[in-house]
């Protein structure tokens, strides 16, 4: 392993390392986290300059081993130090190890002092920082408790005539720090397991890609050298190196590591593919669209990392409680000491140990991790299920939602027009003629008609004449027949007669919110083709589930009221807002908020971005535009609307864990305060400060373990 250190060269931050004669240099555009570890074998490429070998690694490579790894390594060293010297201090306390030059207490002082000021340095630093801010925290309690034990023992050792008791507590202070550090190490290890899924994502991206050069030859290059626009060959069984678009070939791709979807997704020319996913069947050529930190994989990692580091609103409650709780405990500890020494007539040693036990057992260390650990696991679990949560505040707020607003086009619906009905004596003949004309058009309705004809394997003719009338339709000659394809108004202007039967069918389809295309051949209305933006398969199920969760579901669209009503009816939505211009969507969200509702907006387009930002929670579909993804607080990678339900379920489960953690962090410790203060002394039960430290460490371990239970979360489909 190579140890990385941060250096500044001019205005640029670099990561430098040296192992033997090997120098490793990485230049970063942004300030990196210090103390990273990188395996030399993961180096992307190397070069020799002035006889020195330089290994260059990607930023992604470094993210695999970030600061937590350094923290765990340091904690392991401190735990070994504190346990070794702490146990030695404890054991020697039972024997007379005095020598003419070094009395027993001096030996104990020499063993415990490194633990107090090396292993315990972090707590002095934390307490000093709090003091500068004119407040107190959990480090204050640890520093006060252990320093009291060590400081009193030191005075007994060197100034025994001034002290009321000759008992020393060097082993108490050393073992307290040892147990606290063990709890901290277990906590860091558990937190590392919590984000294991995210770190595994980083390991997925292949290091090399097969680039197709202009002359058609293939070259194997490092992924970091690939640029947007490069063509890559991906063979069956290989990982797709970077995000791109299929330009040749077809296959199925296993995207489970990104989207959580177990069924491989079919891919053909024009389809997008995600880097790090696995090509299962045929060979494909893809054109790279995103590289570096812009790839889906790296964006997922960045979003999850940001969410895990964020502070949920409920964390502020924990901070407030701790700010008052710590001085209260110090006061209780002092009162305990005075009560036993002055009023109960107990020995100085017993009164002092009671004070230390109260301060240590009540230390709310677990309060500081009650929320972050749950958020960390919840965010990682969301990523495993294809849900990216950008911050702990979104994860917490999702449980409070009262209304969900869905954009229609591309969100509730598939966002692509499709032929739904053909009214004609010979549907295939009518469709073939209409598609032959529309094949010359670029209108979305025309594209839907052509696509349907090709799906049916129909033969399209080249029209002899062709004319487009914007907003009306097309006309021309197909198979020697004068043909008009377009709106009812266009048909009427062309002096075409529409039969009563055909008009009755048209009225029925209009009531369903479908768009009508009339086909007239040689002056006679021969039939109708209807097109519609179809509802997504599970949209109605999602709406039903949300209603069962007592949420108000609203649809918003720029379409006319008739179309909006039809789609809303199919989806089971009672309230819809139609003919809303894109720039007015945010205003409608604000109106709902003014009704006292906590609102989420689900959308995917550029015109949804203002509404996504205005909502209490913006939920963006992964297929949406970049600006929509930026505006959303939650991103659904799989474009599965059911993940809206999953996100709310995960939010509620995470919040439940946070509340449980507060019990273990606060209630558990508070309940032990009377015992630590000596409430059970009359029946012969007293709490040794070392056991108090163990109880405090167990509290932290309980919080982390309880948070890790979130890893068992499974969406209720």
């Amino acid at each position: 392993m190579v140890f990385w250190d941060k250096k500044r060269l001019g205005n640029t931050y670099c990561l430098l390392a040296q192992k033997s004669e090997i120098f490793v240099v990485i230049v970063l555009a942004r300030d990196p986290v210090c103390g990273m570890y990188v395996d030399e074998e993961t180096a992307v490429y190397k070069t020799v300059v002035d006889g020195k070998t330089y290994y260059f690694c990607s930023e992604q490579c470094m993210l695999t081993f970030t600061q937590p790894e350094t923290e765990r390594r340091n904690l392991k060293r401190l735990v070994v130090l504190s346990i070794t010297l702490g146990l030695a201090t404890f054991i020697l306390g039972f024997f007379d190890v005095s020598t003419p030059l070094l009395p027993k207490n001096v030996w104990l002082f020499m063993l415990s002092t490194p633990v107090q000021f090396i292993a315990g340095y972090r707590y002095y630093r934390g307490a000093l920082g709090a003091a500068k801010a004119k407040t107190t925290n959990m480090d204050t309690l640890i520093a006060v408790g252990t320093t009291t034990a060590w400081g009193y023992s030191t005075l007994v050792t060197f100034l025994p005539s001034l002290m009321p008791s000759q008992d020393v507590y060097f082993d108490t202070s050393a073992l307290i720090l040892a147990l606290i550090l063990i709890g901290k190490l277990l906590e860091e290890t558990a937190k590392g397991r919590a984000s294991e899924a995210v770190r595994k994502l980083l390991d997925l991206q292949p290091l090399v890609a097969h680039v197709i050069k202009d002359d058609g030859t293939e070259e194997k290059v490092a992924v970091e050298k690939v640029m947007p626009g490069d063509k890559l060959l991906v063979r069956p069984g290989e990982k797709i190196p970077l995000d791109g678009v299929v330009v040749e070939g077809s296959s199925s791709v296993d995207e489970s590591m990104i989207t959580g979807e177990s069924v491989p997704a079919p891919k053909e020319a024009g389809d997008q593919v995600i880097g790090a996913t696995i090509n299962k069947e045929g060979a494909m050529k893809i054109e790279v669209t995103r590289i570096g930190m812009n790839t889906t994989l790296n964006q997922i990692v960045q979003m999850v990392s940001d969410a895990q580091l964020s502070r949920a609103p409920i964390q502020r409650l924990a901070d407030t409680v701790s700010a008052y709780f710590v001085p209260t405990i110090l006061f209780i500890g002092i009162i305990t000491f005075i009560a036993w020494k002055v009023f109960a007539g107990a020995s100085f040693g017993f009164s002092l140990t009671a004070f230390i036990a109260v301060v240590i057992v009540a230390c709310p260390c677990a309060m500081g991790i009650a929320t972050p650990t749950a958020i960390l696991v919840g965010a990682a679990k969301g990523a495993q299920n294809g849900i990216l949560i950008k911050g702990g505040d979104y994860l917490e707020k999702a449980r409070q939602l009262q209304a969900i607003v869905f954009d229609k086009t591309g969100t509730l619906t598939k966002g692509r027009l499709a032929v739904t009905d053909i009214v004609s004596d010979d549907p295939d003949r009518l469709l073939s003629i209409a598609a032959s004309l529309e094949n010359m058009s670029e209108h979305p309705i025309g594209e839907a008609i052509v696509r349907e004809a090709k799906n049916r394997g129909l033969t399209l003719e080249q029209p002899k004449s062709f004319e487009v009338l914007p907003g009306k339709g097309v006309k021309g000659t197909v198979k020697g027949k004068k043909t008009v394809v377009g709106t009812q108004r266009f048909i009427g202007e062309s002096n075409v007669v529409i039969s009563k039967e055909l008009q009755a069918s048209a009225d029925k389809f209009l009531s369903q919110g479908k768009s009508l295309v009339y086909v007239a051949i040689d002056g006679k209305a021969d039939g109708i083709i209807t097109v519609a933006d179809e509802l997504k398969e599970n949209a109605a199920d999602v709406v039903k589930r949300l209603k069962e969760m007592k949420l108000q579901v609203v649809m918003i669209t720029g379409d006319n009221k008739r179309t909006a009503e039809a789609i809303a009816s199919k989806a089971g939505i009672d309230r819809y807002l139609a003919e809303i211009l894109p720039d007015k969507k945010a205003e409608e969200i604000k109106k709902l908020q003014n009704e006292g509702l906590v609102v989420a907006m689900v959308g995917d387009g550029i015109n949804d971005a203002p509404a996504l930002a205005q909502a209490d929670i913006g939920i963006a579909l992964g297929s949406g535009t970049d600006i929509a993804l930026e505006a959303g607080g939650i991103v659904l990678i799989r474009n599965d609307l059911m993940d809206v339900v999953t996100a709310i379920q995960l939010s509620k489960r995470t919040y439940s864990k946070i509340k449980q953690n507060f019990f273990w962090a606060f209630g558990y410790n508070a309940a032990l305060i009377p015992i630590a203060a000596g409430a059970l002394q009359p029946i012969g039960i007293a709490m040794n400060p070392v056991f108090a430290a163990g109880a405090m460490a167990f509290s932290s371990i309980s919080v982390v373990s309880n948070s890790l239970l979130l890893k068992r979360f499974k969406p209720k489909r």
Side-chain angles (χ1 to χ4, degrees):
M1 303 297 286
V2 178
F3 177 75
W4 297 86
D5 189 18
K6 183 178 68 176
K7 301 294 182 184
R8 181 164 182 160
L9 303 178
N11 293 323
T12 304
Y13 283 98
C14 301
L15 293 180
L16 307 177
Q18 180 179 358
K19 185 176 182 181
S20 300
E21 295 301 317
I22 299 176
F23 295 80
V24 187
V25 181
I26 298 179
V27 180
L28 297 179
R30 59 185 176 85
D31 185 2
V33 178
C34 212
M36 297 185 180
Y37 292 83
V38 178
D39 191 337
E40 285 178 7
E41 295 180 358
T42 62
V44 176
Y45 64 95
K46 65 180 180 179
T47 185
V48 179
V49 180
D50 297 332
K52 297 178 180 178
T53 303
Y54 291 84
Y55 281 80
F56 290 79
C57 298
S58 66
E59 183 176 358
Q60 172 199 335
C61 167
M62 292 184 295
L63 287 173
T64 307
F65 302 95
T66 53
Q67 186 68 32
E69 176 64 22
T70 307
E71 174 72 0
R72 285 192 291 275
R73 291 169 66 95
N74 291 337
L75 278 172
K76 286 178 183 178
R77 296 189 186 101
L78 295 178
V79 165
V80 171
L81 171 70
S82 58
I83 287 179
T84 302
L85 297 182
L87 286 176
T89 305
F90 176 74
I91 293 171
L92 290 180
F94 292 101
F95 301 96
D96 184 5
V97 292
S98 299
T99 66
L101 294 178
L102 295 176
K104 174 182 176 179
N105 285 353
V106 175
W107 280 108
L108 299 181
F109 168 82
M110 292 171 61
L111 288 170
S112 64
T113 299
V115 179
Q116 187 68 35
F117 295 102
I118 296 176
Y121 171 73
R122 61 176 55 223
Y123 300 110
Y124 283 108
R125 183 179 57 192
L128 181 61
K132 288 180 178 179
K134 298 180 180 180
T135 185
T136 56
N137 59 17
M138 51 209 70
D139 291 338
T140 304
L141 292 182
I142 296 173
V144 168
T146 58
T147 302
T148 300
W150 178 87
Y152 179 81
S153 301
T154 300
L155 291 175
V156 168
T157 300
F158 296 104
L159 299 171
S161 61
L162 300 180
M163 307 312 295
S165 170
Q166 299 302 301
D167 295 327
V168 293
Y169 305 96
F170 287 121
D171 57 338
T172 298
S173 64
L175 289 177
I176 284 174
L177 287 170
L179 287 171
I180 291 172
L181 287 169
I182 289 173
K184 184 68 175 175
L185 176 60
L186 292 174
E187 172 193 320
E188 289 295 327
T189 302
K191 284 162 64 177
R193 288 200 301 268
S195 57
E196 182 180 353
V198 179
R199 292 202 305 274
K200 284 182 177 179
L201 283 175
L202 284 168
D203 297 332
L204 292 175
Q205 187 175 40
L207 296 177
V208 296
H210 301 281
V211 178
I212 302 173
K213 302 172 71 175
D214 293 338
D215 58 5
T217 59
E218 179 186 330
E219 181 182 5
K220 187 176 181 180
V221 302
V223 169
E224 279 68 21
K225 291 185 177 181
V226 178
M227 300 300 292
D230 285 350
K231 304 290 194 306
L232 307 181
L233 175 64
V234 185
R235 296 182 175 87
E238 292 182 343
K239 291 181 180 179
I240 297 172
L242 296 161
D243 293 5
V245 177
V246 179
V247 294
E248 185 179 326
S250 61
S251 181
S252 61
V253 176
D254 180 1
E255 298 179 337
S256 58
M257 65 289 297
I258 302 293
T259 66
E261 183 58 55
S262 58
V263 179
K267 301 291 181 181
E268 57 185 23
D271 289 340
Q272 294 185 346
V273 290
I274 302 173
T277 56
I278 302 173
N279 181 24
K280 301 292 288 184
E281 297 173 351
M284 295 187 298
K285 291 182 181 179
I286 68 169
E287 180 178 337
V288 177
T289 56
R290 293 181 178 180
I291 63 172
M293 297 304 291
N294 292 322
T295 62
T296 301
L297 178 65
N298 279 311
Q299 287 181 345
I300 290 173
V301 172
Q302 190 60 52
M303 286 183 186
V304 175
S305 298
D306 290 345
Q308 292 177 339
L309 293 173
S310 66
R311 294 170 65 83
I314 196 173
Q315 179 65 23
R316 289 193 286 270
L317 172 62
D319 296 340
T320 302
V321 171
S322 295
Y324 290 99
F325 185 70
V326 172
T328 301
I329 292 304
L330 289 173
F331 178 74
I332 292 175
I334 294 171
I335 293 299
T336 299
F337 175 84
I338 295 173
W340 281 111
K341 185 69 179 74
V342 177
F343 298 106
S347 67
F348 182 88
F350 178 83
S351 303
L352 183 65
T353 55
F355 166 79
I356 297 171
V358 168
V359 170
I360 295 300
V361 79
C363 180
C365 296
M367 285 281 283
I369 60 173
T371 300
T373 52
I375 295 294
L376 185 144
V377 181
K381 195 63 184 178
Q384 281 185 317
N385 285 277
I387 302 169
L388 296 184
I389 302 166
K390 294 185 180 180
D393 50 343
Y394 297 113
L395 189 58
E396 181 183 336
K397 197 178 292 183
R399 71 178 184 89
Q400 301 171 328
L401 288 176
Q402 296 168 296
I404 307 279
V405 180
F406 287 93
D407 173 56
K408 182 184 78 68
T409 306
T411 302
L412 282 174
T413 65
K414 295 179 179 178
R416 188 174 77 165
L417 293 174
V419 173
T420 58
D421 306 276
I422 301 176
V423 180
S424 174
D425 294 335
D426 190 346
D428 284 352
R429 170 179 169 274
L430 186 79
L431 181 62
S432 175
I433 292 174
S436 296
L437 263 185
E438 293 286 7
N439 199 29
M440 306 293 290
S441 169
E442 296 181 354
H443 195 279
I445 290 179
E447 291 176 352
I449 292 173
V450 172
R451 188 165 52 248
E452 178 65 19
K454 289 181 178 179
N455 289 342
R456 296 191 182 196
L458 303 179
T459 302
L460 305 186
E461 300 286 339
Q462 182 71 25
K464 290 186 178 179
S465 62
F466 177 77
E467 182 181 0
V468 177
L469 289 89
K472 296 181 180 180
V474 296
K475 64 180 180 179
T477 302
V478 180
K479 297 181 181 180
K481 298 180 181 294
K482 292 182 179 181
T483 306
V484 177
V485 179
T487 64
Q488 182 177 2
R489 180 180 177 183
F490 183 37
I491 293 292
E493 292 176 355
S494 303
N495 298 319
V496 174
V497 178
I498 301 175
S499 66
K500 291 182 179 180
E501 293 79 5
L502 197 61
Q503 188 59 54
S505 298
D507 292 339
K508 181 185 71 173
F509 292 130
L510 284 172
S511 66
Q512 297 173 358
K514 297 179 179 179
S515 298
L516 306 186
V517 177
Y518 289 81
V519 181
I521 301 175
D522 288 338
K524 179 185 176 183
D526 204 57
I528 296 175
I529 300 174
T530 69
V531 296
D533 187 2
E534 294 180 309
L535 200 66
K536 287 183 177 178
E537 287 80 2
N538 63 350
D541 291 335
V542 171
V543 172
K544 181 180 178 182
R545 290 292 300 278
L546 292 173
K547 285 184 174 181
E548 290 173 352
M549 298 168 74
K550 309 301 181 184
L551 292 168
Q552 184 179 150
V553 182
V554 182
M555 186 186 78
I556 190 168
T557 179
D559 284 345
N560 61 70
K561 290 184 178 180
R562 177 176 283 184
T563 301
E565 182 181 9
I567 293 295
S569 177
K570 287 183 180 180
I573 297 175
D574 303 318
R575 183 175 180 180
Y576 61 90
L577 305 170
E579 299 178 4
I580 306 299
L581 296 176
D583 59 341
K584 300 296 182 183
K585 287 185 178 181
E587 293 182 12
E588 295 298 328
I589 297 295
K590 195 169 185 178
K591 289 179 182 177
L592 292 172
Q593 292 172 326
N594 290 338
E595 295 178 17
L597 299 174
V598 180
V599 182
M601 170 71 188
V602 186
D604 70 327
I606 291 177
N607 59 5
D608 296 327
L612 289 169
Q614 174 64 43
D616 295 284
I617 298 180
I619 303 177
L621 299 186
S623 61
T625 61
D626 290 341
I627 190 171
L629 298 181
E630 285 296 321
I634 296 177
V635 179
L636 310 181
I637 303 176
R638 295 186 293 200
N639 305 311
D640 185 350
L641 291 179
M642 193 60 76
D643 286 340
V644 175
V645 177
T646 301
I648 297 173
Q649 291 174 349
L650 180 61
S651 170
K652 291 182 177 181
R653 185 73 64 83
T654 302
Y655 192 77
S656 174
K657 286 298 176 187
I658 292 173
K659 290 193 294 184
Q660 293 170 15
N661 287 347
F662 278 155
F663 167 77
W664 288 107
F666 180 75
Y668 171 82
N669 288 23
L672 291 176
I673 291 175
I675 300 176
L680 300 182
Q681 178 62 24
I683 60 174
I685 298 177
M687 179 177 287
N688 187 290
V690 174
F691 294 127
M696 190 203 73
F698 179 76
S699 175
S700 295
I701 296 169
S702 299
V703 165
V704 175
S705 300
N706 188 51
S707 296
L708 287 174
L709 292 176
L710 265 175
K711 296 180 76 173
R712 300 180 180 180
F713 170 80
K714 291 183 179 180
K716 295 180 180 179
R717 293 281 182 172

